[in-house]
Coordinates of all heavy atoms in Angstrom, one line a residue:
E215 N 0.8 -1.2 0.0 CA 0.0 0.0 0.0 C 0.9 1.3 0.0 O 2.0 1.2 0.5 CB -0.9 0.0 1.2 CG -2.0 -1.0 1.2 CD -3.1 -0.9 2.3 OE1 -3.0 0.1 3.0 OE2 -3.9 -1.8 2.3
N216 N 0.3 2.3 -0.6 CA 0.9 3.6 -0.6 C 2.2 3.7 -1.3 O 3.1 4.6 -0.9 CB 1.0 4.2 0.9 CG -0.4 4.4 1.5 OD1 -1.3 4.8 0.9 ND2 -0.5 3.9 2.8
L217 N 2.4 2.9 -2.3 CA 3.6 3.0 -3.1 C 3.3 4.0 -4.3 O 2.2 4.2 -4.7 CB 4.0 1.7 -3.7 CG 4.4 0.6 -2.7 CD1 4.7 -0.7 -3.5 CD2 5.6 1.1 -1.9
S218 N 4.3 4.7 -4.8 CA 4.2 5.6 -5.9 C 4.4 4.9 -7.2 O 4.8 3.7 -7.2 CB 5.3 6.7 -5.7 OG 6.6 6.1 -6.0
Y219 N 4.1 5.6 -8.3 CA 4.3 5.0 -9.6 C 5.8 4.7 -9.8 O 6.1 3.7 -10.3 CB 3.9 6.0 -10.7 CG 2.4 6.1 -10.9 CD1 1.7 7.2 -10.6 CD2 1.7 5.0 -11.5 CE1 0.3 7.3 -10.9 CE2 0.3 5.1 -11.7 CZ -0.3 6.2 -11.4 OH -1.7 6.3 -11.6
D220 N 6.7 5.6 -9.3 CA 8.1 5.3 -9.4 C 8.5 4.1 -8.7 O 9.3 3.3 -9.2 CB 8.9 6.5 -8.9 CG 8.8 7.7 -9.8 OD1 8.5 7.6 -11.0 OD2 9.1 8.9 -9.3
E221 N 8.0 3.9 -7.5 CA 8.3 2.7 -6.7 C 7.8 1.4 -7.4 O 8.5 0.4 -7.5 CB 7.8 2.8 -5.3 CG 8.5 3.9 -4.5 CD 7.8 4.2 -3.2 OE1 6.5 4.3 -3.2 OE2 8.5 4.4 -2.2
L222 N 6.6 1.4 -7.9 CA 6.0 0.3 -8.6 C 6.8 0.0 -9.9 O 7.1 -1.1 -10.2 CB 4.6 0.5 -8.9 CG 3.6 0.4 -7.8 CD1 2.2 0.8 -8.3 CD2 3.6 -0.9 -7.1
G223 N 7.2 1.1 -10.6 CA 8.0 1.0 -11.8 C 9.3 0.3 -11.5 O 9.8 -0.5 -12.3
Y224 N 10.0 0.7 -10.5 CA 11.3 0.2 -10.1 C 11.1 -1.3 -9.9 O 11.9 -2.1 -10.3 CB 11.8 0.9 -8.9 CG 13.1 0.2 -8.4 CD1 14.3 0.5 -9.0 CD2 13.1 -0.6 -7.3 CE1 15.5 -0.1 -8.6 CE2 14.2 -1.2 -6.9 CZ 15.5 -1.0 -7.5 OH 16.6 -1.6 -7.1
C225 N 10.1 -1.7 -9.1 CA 9.9 -3.1 -8.8 C 9.6 -3.9 -10.1 O 10.1 -5.0 -10.3 CB 8.7 -3.3 -7.8 SG 9.1 -2.7 -6.2
A226 N 8.7 -3.4 -10.9 CA 8.4 -4.0 -12.2 C 9.6 -4.2 -13.1 O 9.8 -5.3 -13.6 CB 7.3 -3.3 -12.9
K227 N 10.4 -3.2 -13.2 CA 11.6 -3.2 -14.0 C 12.6 -4.3 -13.4 O 13.1 -5.1 -14.2 CB 12.3 -1.9 -14.0 CG 13.6 -1.8 -14.9 CD 14.2 -0.5 -14.9 CE 15.5 -0.5 -15.6 NZ 16.3 0.7 -15.6
T228 N 12.7 -4.3 -12.1 CA 13.6 -5.3 -11.5 C 13.1 -6.7 -11.8 O 13.9 -7.6 -12.1 CB 13.7 -5.0 -10.0 OG1 14.2 -3.7 -9.8 CG2 14.6 -6.1 -9.3
L229 N 11.8 -6.9 -11.6 CA 11.3 -8.3 -11.9 C 11.4 -8.7 -13.3 O 11.8 -9.9 -13.6 CB 9.8 -8.3 -11.4 CG 9.6 -8.2 -9.9 CD1 8.1 -8.0 -9.6 CD2 10.1 -9.5 -9.2
T230 N 11.2 -7.8 -14.3 CA 11.4 -8.2 -15.7 C 12.8 -8.5 -16.0 O 13.1 -9.3 -16.8 CB 10.7 -7.2 -16.6 OG1 11.2 -5.9 -16.4 CG2 9.2 -7.2 -16.5
E231 N 13.7 -7.7 -15.4 CA 15.1 -7.9 -15.6 C 15.6 -9.2 -15.1 O 16.6 -9.8 -15.5 CB 16.0 -6.8 -15.1 CG 15.9 -5.5 -15.9 CD 16.6 -4.3 -15.2 OE1 17.0 -4.4 -14.0 OE2 16.7 -3.3 -15.9
Q232 N 14.9 -9.7 -14.0 CA 15.3 -11.0 -13.4 C 14.5 -12.2 -14.0 O 14.6 -13.3 -13.6 CB 15.0 -10.9 -11.9 CG 15.9 -10.0 -11.2 CD 15.6 -9.9 -9.7 OE1 14.7 -10.5 -9.2 NE2 16.4 -9.1 -9.0
G233 N 13.8 -11.9 -15.1 CA 13.2 -13.0 -15.9 C 11.7 -13.1 -15.9 O 11.1 -14.0 -16.6
A234 N 11.0 -12.3 -15.2 CA 9.5 -12.3 -15.3 C 9.1 -11.8 -16.7 O 9.6 -10.8 -17.2 CB 8.9 -11.4 -14.2
S235 N 8.2 -12.6 -17.3 CA 7.9 -12.2 -18.7 C 6.9 -11.0 -18.7 O 7.1 -10.1 -19.5 CB 7.2 -13.4 -19.4 OG 6.1 -13.8 -18.7
T236 N 5.9 -11.0 -17.8 CA 5.0 -9.9 -17.7 C 4.7 -9.6 -16.2 O 4.5 -10.6 -15.5 CB 3.7 -10.2 -18.4 OG1 4.0 -10.5 -19.8 CG2 2.7 -9.0 -18.3
C237 N 4.7 -8.4 -15.9 CA 4.6 -8.0 -14.5 C 3.5 -7.0 -14.4 O 3.5 -5.9 -15.0 CB 5.9 -7.4 -14.0 SG 5.9 -7.1 -12.2
I238 N 2.5 -7.2 -13.5 CA 1.4 -6.3 -13.2 C 1.5 -6.0 -11.7 O 1.3 -7.0 -10.9 CB 0.0 -6.9 -13.6 CG1 0.0 -7.2 -15.0 CG2 -1.1 -5.8 -13.2 CD1 -1.3 -8.0 -15.4
L239 N 1.7 -4.8 -11.3 CA 1.8 -4.4 -9.9 C 0.8 -3.4 -9.6 O 0.6 -2.4 -10.4 CB 3.2 -4.0 -9.6 CG 4.4 -5.0 -9.8 CD1 5.7 -4.3 -9.5 CD2 4.2 -6.2 -8.9
L240 N 0.2 -3.5 -8.4 CA -0.8 -2.5 -7.9 C -0.4 -2.0 -6.5 O 0.2 -2.7 -5.8 CB -2.2 -3.1 -7.9 CG -2.7 -3.5 -9.2 CD1 -2.6 -5.0 -9.4 CD2 -4.2 -3.1 -9.3
S241 N -0.9 -0.8 -6.2 CA -0.8 -0.3 -4.9 C -2.0 0.5 -4.5 O -2.5 1.3 -5.3 CB 0.4 0.6 -4.7 OG 0.5 1.1 -3.4
K242 N -2.6 0.2 -3.4 CA -3.8 1.0 -2.9 C -3.2 2.2 -2.2 O -2.4 2.1 -1.3 CB -4.6 0.1 -2.0 CG -5.9 0.8 -1.5 CD -6.7 -0.2 -0.7 CE -8.0 0.4 -0.3 NZ -8.8 -0.6 0.5
N243 N -3.7 3.4 -2.5 CA -3.3 4.6 -1.9 C -4.2 5.1 -0.8 O -5.3 4.6 -0.6 CB -3.1 5.7 -3.0 CG -1.9 5.4 -3.9 OD1 -1.0 4.7 -3.5 ND2 -2.0 5.9 -5.1
E244 N -3.8 6.2 -0.2 CA -4.6 6.7 0.9 C -6.0 7.1 0.5 O -6.9 7.1 1.3 CB -3.9 7.9 1.6 CG -2.6 7.6 2.2 CD -1.8 8.8 2.7 OE1 -2.2 9.9 2.4 OE2 -0.7 8.6 3.3
D245 N -6.2 7.5 -0.7 CA -7.5 7.9 -1.2 C -8.4 6.8 -1.7 O -9.4 6.9 -2.3 CB -7.4 9.0 -2.3 CG -6.6 8.5 -3.5 OD1 -6.2 7.4 -3.5 OD2 -6.5 9.3 -4.4
N246 N -7.9 5.5 -1.4 CA -8.6 4.3 -1.7 C -8.6 4.0 -3.2 O -9.3 3.1 -3.6 CB -10.0 4.2 -1.1 CG -10.0 3.6 0.2 OD1 -9.0 3.1 0.7 ND2 -11.1 3.7 0.9
N247 N -7.8 4.7 -4.0 CA -7.6 4.4 -5.4 C -6.5 3.4 -5.5 O -5.6 3.3 -4.6 CB -7.3 5.6 -6.2 CG -8.5 6.5 -6.5 OD1 -9.6 6.0 -6.8 ND2 -8.4 7.7 -6.2
Y248 N -6.5 2.6 -6.6 CA -5.4 1.7 -6.9 C -4.7 2.3 -8.1 O -5.3 2.6 -9.1 CB -5.9 0.3 -7.3 CG -6.6 -0.4 -6.1 CD1 -7.9 -0.2 -5.8 CD2 -5.9 -1.4 -5.4 CE1 -8.5 -0.9 -4.8 CE2 -6.5 -2.0 -4.3 CZ -7.8 -1.8 -4.1 OH -8.4 -2.5 -3.0
I249 N -3.3 2.3 -8.0 CA -2.5 2.7 -9.1 C -1.9 1.4 -9.6 O -1.7 0.4 -8.8 CB -1.5 3.8 -8.8 CG1 -0.5 3.3 -7.8 CG2 -2.2 5.1 -8.5 CD1 0.7 4.3 -7.6
Y250 N -1.5 1.3 -10.9 CA -0.9 0.1 -11.4 C 0.2 0.5 -12.4 O 0.2 1.5 -13.0 CB -1.9 -0.8 -12.0 CG -2.5 -0.3 -13.3 CD1 -1.9 -0.4 -14.5 CD2 -3.8 0.3 -13.3 CE1 -2.4 0.1 -15.7 CE2 -4.3 0.8 -14.4 CZ -3.7 0.7 -15.6 OH -4.2 1.2 -16.8
V251 N 1.1 -0.5 -12.5 CA 2.1 -0.5 -13.6 C 2.1 -1.9 -14.2 O 1.9 -2.9 -13.5 CB 3.5 -0.1 -13.1 CG1 3.6 1.3 -12.6 CG2 4.1 -1.1 -12.2
V252 N 2.3 -1.9 -15.5 CA 2.5 -3.1 -16.3 C 3.7 -3.1 -17.1 O 4.0 -2.1 -17.7 CB 1.2 -3.4 -17.2 CG1 1.3 -4.7 -17.9 CG2 -0.1 -3.2 -16.4
S253 N 4.5 -4.1 -17.0 CA 5.8 -4.1 -17.6 C 6.0 -5.5 -18.3 O 5.6 -6.5 -17.7 CB 6.9 -3.8 -16.6 OG 8.2 -3.9 -17.2
S254 N 6.7 -5.5 -19.4 CA 7.0 -6.8 -20.1 C 8.1 -6.6 -21.1 O 8.3 -5.6 -21.7 CB 5.8 -7.3 -20.8 OG 6.1 -8.6 -21.5
K255 N 8.9 -7.7 -21.2 CA 10.0 -7.7 -22.2 C 9.6 -8.6 -23.3 O 10.3 -8.7 -24.3 CB 11.3 -8.2 -21.6 CG 11.9 -7.2 -20.7 CD 13.4 -7.6 -20.3 CE 14.0 -6.5 -19.6 NZ 15.4 -6.4 -19.8
T256 N 8.4 -9.3 -23.2 CA 8.0 -10.3 -24.2 C 6.7 -9.9 -25.0 O 6.4 -10.6 -26.0 CB 7.9 -11.6 -23.6 OG1 6.8 -11.6 -22.6 CG2 9.2 -12.1 -23.0
E257 N 5.9 -9.0 -24.5 CA 4.7 -8.7 -25.1 C 4.3 -7.2 -25.0 O 4.8 -6.5 -24.1 CB 3.5 -9.5 -24.6 CG 3.1 -9.2 -23.2 CD 2.0 -10.1 -22.7 OE1 0.9 -10.0 -23.3 OE2 2.2 -10.9 -21.8
D258 N 3.4 -6.8 -25.8 CA 3.0 -5.4 -25.8 C 2.0 -5.2 -24.7 O 0.9 -5.9 -24.8 CB 2.4 -5.0 -27.2 CG 2.0 -3.6 -27.3 OD1 1.8 -2.9 -26.3 OD2 2.0 -3.1 -28.5
V259 N 2.3 -4.5 -23.7 CA 1.4 -4.3 -22.5 C 0.2 -3.4 -22.7 O -0.7 -3.4 -21.9 CB 2.2 -3.8 -21.3 CG1 3.3 -4.8 -21.0 CG2 2.7 -2.4 -21.4
R260 N 0.1 -2.7 -23.9 CA -1.0 -1.8 -24.1 C -2.3 -2.6 -24.2 O -3.3 -2.1 -23.8 CB -0.7 -1.0 -25.3 CG 0.4 0.0 -25.1 CD 0.8 0.8 -26.3 NE 1.3 -0.1 -27.3 CZ 1.8 0.2 -28.5 NH1 1.9 1.5 -28.8 NH2 2.3 -0.6 -29.4
G261 N -2.3 -3.8 -24.6 CA -3.5 -4.6 -24.6 C -4.0 -5.0 -23.2 O -5.2 -5.0 -22.9
I262 N -3.0 -5.3 -22.4 CA -3.3 -5.6 -21.0 C -3.9 -4.3 -20.3 O -4.9 -4.4 -19.6 CB -2.1 -6.0 -20.2 CG1 -1.6 -7.4 -20.7 CG2 -2.3 -6.1 -18.7 CD1 -0.2 -7.8 -20.2
V263 N -3.3 -3.2 -20.6 CA -3.8 -1.9 -20.0 C -5.2 -1.6 -20.5 O -6.1 -1.2 -19.7 CB -2.9 -0.8 -20.3 CG1 -3.5 0.6 -19.9 CG2 -1.5 -1.0 -19.5
K264 N -5.5 -1.8 -21.8 CA -6.8 -1.6 -22.3 C -7.8 -2.5 -21.6 O -8.9 -2.0 -21.2 CB -6.8 -1.9 -23.8 CG -8.1 -1.6 -24.5 CD -8.0 -1.8 -26.0 CE -9.3 -1.5 -26.6 NZ -9.3 -1.7 -28.1
T265 N -7.5 -3.7 -21.4 CA -8.4 -4.6 -20.7 C -8.6 -4.2 -19.2 O -9.7 -4.2 -18.7 CB -7.9 -6.1 -20.7 OG1 -7.8 -6.5 -22.1 CG2 -8.8 -7.1 -20.1
L266 N -7.5 -3.9 -18.5 CA -7.6 -3.4 -17.1 C -8.5 -2.2 -17.1 O -9.4 -2.2 -16.2 CB -6.2 -3.0 -16.6 CG -5.3 -4.1 -16.1 CD1 -4.0 -3.5 -15.7 CD2 -5.9 -4.8 -14.9
N267 N -8.3 -1.3 -17.9 CA -9.1 -0.1 -17.9 C -10.6 -0.3 -18.2 O -11.5 0.2 -17.5 CB -8.6 1.0 -18.9 CG -7.2 1.5 -18.4 OD1 -6.9 1.4 -17.3 ND2 -6.5 2.0 -19.4
S268 N -10.9 -1.2 -19.2 CA -12.3 -1.4 -19.5 C -13.0 -2.3 -18.5 O -14.1 -2.1 -18.2 CB -12.4 -2.1 -20.9 OG -11.8 -3.4 -20.9
E269 N -12.3 -3.3 -17.9 CA -12.9 -4.2 -17.0 C -13.0 -3.6 -15.6 O -13.9 -4.0 -14.8 CB -12.1 -5.5 -16.9 CG -12.1 -6.3 -18.2 CD -13.5 -6.9 -18.4 OE1 -14.2 -7.2 -17.5 OE2 -13.8 -7.1 -19.6
L270 N -12.1 -2.7 -15.2 CA -12.0 -2.2 -13.8 C -12.2 -0.6 -13.7 O -11.7 0.0 -12.8 CB -10.7 -2.6 -13.2 CG -10.5 -4.1 -13.1 CD1 -9.1 -4.4 -12.7 CD2 -11.5 -4.7 -12.1
N271 N -12.8 -0.1 -14.8 CA -13.1 1.4 -14.7 C -11.8 2.2 -14.5 O -11.8 3.0 -13.6 CB -14.2 1.7 -13.7 CG -14.8 3.1 -13.8 OD1 -14.8 3.6 -14.9 ND2 -15.2 3.7 -12.7
G272 N -10.8 1.9 -15.3 CA -9.5 2.5 -15.1 C -9.2 3.5 -16.1 O -9.9 3.7 -17.1
K273 N -8.1 4.2 -15.9 CA -7.5 5.1 -16.9 C -6.0 4.9 -16.9 O -5.4 4.7 -15.8 CB -7.8 6.6 -16.5 CG -9.2 6.9 -16.5 CD -9.5 8.4 -16.1 CE -10.9 8.7 -16.2 NZ -11.2 10.1 -15.8
G274 N -5.4 5.0 -18.0 CA -3.9 4.9 -18.1 C -3.5 4.5 -19.5 O -4.3 4.2 -20.4
G275 N -2.2 4.4 -19.7 CA -1.6 4.0 -20.9 C -0.1 4.1 -20.9 O 0.5 4.3 -19.8
G276 N 0.5 3.9 -22.0 CA 2.0 3.9 -22.0 C 2.6 3.4 -23.3 O 2.0 3.4 -24.3
K277 N 3.8 2.9 -23.2 CA 4.5 2.3 -24.3 C 4.4 0.8 -24.4 O 3.8 0.2 -23.5 CB 6.0 2.7 -24.1 CG 6.3 4.1 -24.0 CD 7.8 4.4 -23.7 CE 8.0 5.9 -23.5 NZ 9.4 6.2 -23.2
P278 N 4.9 0.2 -25.5 CA 4.7 -1.2 -25.6 C 5.3 -2.1 -24.4 O 4.7 -3.1 -24.1 CB 5.4 -1.6 -26.9 CG 5.3 -0.3 -27.7 CD 5.4 0.8 -26.7
D279 N 6.3 -1.6 -23.8 CA 7.0 -2.4 -22.8 C 6.6 -1.9 -21.3 O 7.0 -2.6 -20.4 CB 8.5 -2.4 -22.9 CG 9.1 -1.0 -22.8 OD1 8.4 0.0 -23.0 OD2 10.3 -1.0 -22.6
Y280 N 5.9 -0.8 -21.2 CA 5.7 -0.2 -19.9 C 4.5 0.7 -19.9 O 4.4 1.6 -20.8 CB 6.9 0.5 -19.3 CG 6.6 1.1 -17.9 CD1 6.9 0.3 -16.8 CD2 6.2 2.4 -17.8 CE1 6.6 0.9 -15.5 CE2 6.0 2.9 -16.5 CZ 6.2 2.2 -15.4 OH 6.0 2.7 -14.2
A281 N 3.6 0.5 -19.0 CA 2.4 1.4 -18.9 C 2.0 1.6 -17.5 O 2.4 0.8 -16.6 CB 1.3 0.9 -19.7
Q282 N 1.2 2.6 -17.2 CA 0.7 2.8 -15.8 C -0.6 3.5 -15.9 O -1.0 4.0 -16.9 CB 1.7 3.7 -15.0 CG 1.9 5.1 -15.6 CD 2.9 5.9 -14.8 OE1 3.9 5.4 -14.4 NE2 2.7 7.2 -14.7
G283 N -1.3 3.4 -14.7 CA -2.7 4.0 -14.7 C -3.3 3.9 -13.3 O -2.6 3.5 -12.3
K284 N -4.6 4.1 -13.3 CA -5.3 4.1 -12.0 C -6.6 3.4 -12.2 O -7.3 3.5 -13.2 CB -5.6 5.6 -11.6 CG -6.3 5.7 -10.3 CD -6.7 7.2 -10.0 CE -5.5 8.0 -9.5 NZ -5.9 9.3 -9.0
I285 N -7.0 2.6 -11.1 CA -8.3 1.9 -11.1 C -9.1 2.4 -10.0 O -8.7 2.8 -8.9 CB -8.0 0.4 -10.9 CG1 -7.2 -0.2 -12.0 CG2 -9.3 -0.4 -10.7 CD1 -6.6 -1.6 -11.7
S286 N -10.4 2.5 -10.3 CA -11.3 3.1 -9.3 C -11.5 2.2 -8.1 O -11.4 1.0 -8.2 CB -12.7 3.3 -9.9 OG -13.3 2.1 -10.2
P287 N -11.8 2.7 -6.9 CA -11.9 2.0 -5.7 C -13.0 0.9 -5.7 O -12.8 -0.1 -5.0 CB -12.1 3.0 -4.6 CG -12.5 4.2 -5.2 CD -12.0 4.2 -6.6
E288 N -14.1 1.1 -6.4 CA -15.1 0.2 -6.4 C -14.8 -1.1 -7.1 O -15.5 -2.1 -7.1 CB -16.4 0.7 -6.9 CG -16.3 1.3 -8.3 CD -16.0 2.7 -8.4 OE1 -15.7 3.4 -7.4 OE2 -16.0 3.3 -9.5
S289 N -13.6 -1.1 -7.7 CA -13.1 -2.3 -8.4 C -12.4 -3.3 -7.5 O -12.0 -4.4 -8.0 CB -12.2 -1.9 -9.6 OG -12.9 -1.1 -10.5
G290 N -12.2 -2.9 -6.3 CA -11.3 -3.7 -5.4 C -11.5 -5.2 -5.4 O -10.5 -6.0 -5.4
D291 N -12.7 -5.6 -5.3 CA -13.0 -7.1 -5.2 C -12.7 -7.8 -6.5 O -12.5 -9.0 -6.4 CB -14.5 -7.3 -4.7 CG -14.7 -6.8 -3.3 OD1 -13.8 -6.7 -2.5 OD2 -15.9 -6.5 -3.1
S292 N -12.8 -7.2 -7.6 CA -12.6 -7.8 -8.9 C -11.2 -7.8 -9.4 O -10.9 -8.5 -10.3 CB -13.5 -7.1 -9.9 OG -14.8 -7.0 -9.5
I293 N -10.3 -7.0 -8.8 CA -9.0 -6.9 -9.4 C -8.2 -8.2 -9.5 O -7.7 -8.5 -10.6 CB -8.2 -5.9 -8.5 CG1 -8.7 -4.5 -8.6 CG2 -6.7 -5.9 -8.9 CD1 -8.1 -3.5 -7.7
N294 N -8.2 -9.0 -8.5 CA -7.4 -10.2 -8.6 C -8.0 -11.2 -9.7 O -7.3 -11.8 -10.4 CB -7.3 -11.0 -7.3 CG -6.4 -10.3 -6.3 OD1 -5.5 -9.6 -6.7 ND2 -6.7 -10.5 -5.0
V295 N -9.3 -11.3 -9.7 CA -10.0 -12.1 -10.7 C -9.6 -11.7 -12.1 O -9.2 -12.5 -13.0 CB -11.5 -12.2 -10.5 CG1 -12.2 -12.9 -11.6 CG2 -11.8 -12.8 -9.1
I296 N -9.7 -10.4 -12.4 CA -9.5 -9.8 -13.7 C -8.0 -10.0 -14.1 O -7.7 -10.5 -15.2 CB -9.9 -8.4 -13.8 CG1 -11.4 -8.2 -13.6 CG2 -9.4 -7.7 -15.1 CD1 -12.3 -8.9 -14.6
I297 N -7.1 -9.8 -13.2 CA -5.7 -10.0 -13.5 C -5.4 -11.4 -13.8 O -4.6 -11.7 -14.7 CB -4.8 -9.4 -12.4 CG1 -4.9 -7.9 -12.4 CG2 -3.3 -9.8 -12.5 CD1 -4.2 -7.2 -11.2
E298 N -5.9 -12.3 -13.0 CA -5.7 -13.8 -13.3 C -6.2 -14.1 -14.7 O -5.6 -14.9 -15.4 CB -6.4 -14.6 -12.2 CG -5.7 -14.6 -10.9 CD -6.4 -15.4 -9.8 OE1 -7.2 -16.3 -10.2 OE2 -6.1 -15.2 -8.7
Q299 N -7.4 -13.6 -15.1 CA -7.9 -13.9 -16.4 C -7.1 -13.3 -17.5 O -6.8 -13.9 -18.5 CB -9.4 -13.3 -16.5 CG -10.3 -14.1 -15.7 CD -11.7 -13.5 -15.7 OE1 -11.9 -12.3 -16.0 NE2 -12.7 -14.2 -15.3
I300 N -6.5 -12.1 -17.3 CA -5.6 -11.4 -18.2 C -4.4 -12.3 -18.4 O -4.0 -12.6 -19.6 CB -5.3 -10.0 -17.8 CG1 -6.5 -9.1 -17.9 CG2 -4.1 -9.5 -18.6 CD1 -6.3 -7.7 -17.3
L301 N -3.8 -12.7 -17.3 CA -2.5 -13.4 -17.4 C -2.7 -14.8 -18.0 O -1.8 -15.4 -18.7 CB -1.9 -13.5 -16.0 CG -1.3 -12.2 -15.5 CD1 -0.8 -12.4 -14.1 CD2 -0.2 -11.6 -16.4
R302 N -3.9 -15.4 -17.9 CA -4.2 -16.7 -18.5 C -4.7 -16.5 -19.9 O -5.1 -17.5 -20.6 CB -5.3 -17.4 -17.7 CG -4.8 -18.0 -16.4 CD -5.8 -19.0 -15.8 NE -5.9 -18.7 -14.4 CZ -7.0 -18.4 -13.7 NH1 -8.2 -18.4 -14.4 NH2 -7.0 -18.2 -12.5
K303 N -4.8 -15.3 -20.4 CA -5.3 -14.9 -21.7 C -6.7 -15.3 -21.9 O -7.2 -15.7 -23.0 CB -4.4 -15.6 -22.8 CG -2.9 -15.4 -22.6 CD -2.5 -14.2 -23.3 CE -0.9 -14.1 -23.3 NZ -0.4 -13.0 -22.8
E304 N -7.5 -15.3 -20.8 CA -8.9 -15.6 -20.9 C -9.8 -14.4 -21.4 O -10.9 -14.6 -21.8 CB -9.4 -16.1 -19.6 CG -8.8 -17.4 -19.2 CD -9.2 -17.9 -17.8 OE1 -9.9 -17.2 -17.1 OE2 -8.7 -19.0 -17.4
I305 N -9.3 -13.2 -21.1 CA -9.9 -12.0 -21.6 C -8.9 -11.1 -22.3 O -7.8 -11.2 -22.1 CB -10.7 -11.2 -20.5 CG1 -9.8 -10.8 -19.3 CG2 -11.8 -12.0 -20.0 CD1 -10.4 -9.9 -18.3

């Protein structure tokens, strides 16, 4: 909780440099919003971000290998389910 975009980005970059193919990290902030970063060395993350935003009422974007955004607080219960479906390529 309460991590910044820079802190999430650092963690995502470190994980992908250590071999993670795709990394989705989130942090719940004091205002009960969730921020996220998505990083990958093997796929274009913009599709993941588009799905996150549409499924979880979010906003964000970025480059093919890195993107960031924000998800609304009412999405809290669905976040893990949606991320699992994204990573399994179900949605």
Side-chain angles (χ1 to χ4, degrees):
E215 290 189 8
N216 297 317
L217 297 177
S218 68
Y219 284 113
D220 288 342
E221 291 167 319
L222 288 176
Y224 174 80
C225 292
K227 180 180 176 186
T228 300
L229 290 169
T230 55
E231 286 175 352
Q232 292 179 358
S235 61
T236 301
C237 186
I238 303 172
L239 298 177
L240 295 102
S241 180
K242 185 176 181 180
N243 289 335
E244 293 172 357
D245 59 1
N246 271 351
N247 285 312
Y248 292 84
I249 62 169
Y250 67 82
V251 299
V252 184
S253 179
S254 180
K255 288 193 174 210
T256 60
E257 68 180 296
D258 188 333
V259 301
R260 293 176 293 187
I262 293 172
V263 169
K264 183 177 180 181
T265 302
L266 279 173
N267 291 339
S268 67
E269 295 290 328
L270 298 170
N271 194 29
K273 294 181 181 179
K277 299 177 182 179
D279 62 340
Y280 179 86
Q282 63 186 36
K284 184 185 282 191
I285 297 170
S286 69
E288 58 268 6
S289 303
D291 295 336
S292 305
I293 292 173
N294 288 336
V295 172
I296 297 299
I297 290 175
E298 286 178 23
Q299 291 174 340
I300 289 170
L301 293 174
R302 284 193 226 125
K303 311 271 190 231
E304 295 174 0
I305 56 173

